[in-house]
Amino acid sequence: YQSAQVDIKNLSLNFGHKVLFDDLDFRLQNGDKVTIVGDNGSGKSTLINLIAGKNYDHSGQISTRGKIGYLPQSFEDFENQPT
């Protein structure tokens, strides 16, 4: 059994002039419980999408080990997913 792990190192991402993350570092391990809180448009969903494997033009490293589960926040997100 391999425990899940997420490592974020020096993550920076912006959309135009809006900076979502700048030099973000953290690690999550199997069993950790995390809440992401922020204003609309602050990058919460974008961060989760990055961890789940969606490719945005960013700098820094995102490493995952084990199985990472992700449930999109709206049903429209399921339409283009492979079965």
Side-chain angles (χ1 to χ4, degrees), residues 50-71:
L50 280 165
I51 293 170
K54 187 165 184 175
N55 189 17
Y56 293 105
D57 188 21
H58 67 279
S59 63
Q61 297 177 347
I62 301 170
S63 303
T64 59
R65 186 178 76 197
K67 184 167 180 137
I68 306 298
Y70 170 65
L71 180 63

Side-chain angles (χ1 to χ4, degrees), residues 9 25 36 48 64 66 83:
K9 294 182 183 174
D25 289 302
I36 301 174
I48 298 300
T64 59
T83 55

Side-chain angles (χ1 to χ4, degrees), residues 8-62:
I8 305 290
K9 294 182 183 174
N10 303 329
L11 180 63
S12 295
L13 173 68
N14 60 47
F15 289 122
H17 295 291
K18 182 172 184 163
V19 176
L20 294 183
F21 319 115
D22 186 28
D23 201 26
L24 182 64
D25 289 302
F26 67 89
R27 172 180 278 179
L28 301 175
Q29 296 184 16
N30 193 39
D32 288 346
K33 293 170 180 53
V34 178
T35 302
I36 301 174
V37 179
D39 292 333
N40 288 344
S42 63
K44 301 177 302 286
S45 295
T46 301
L47 176 61
I48 298 300
N49 283 320
L50 280 165
I51 293 170
K54 187 165 184 175
N55 189 17
Y56 293 105
D57 188 21
H58 67 279
S59 63
Q61 297 177 347
I62 301 170

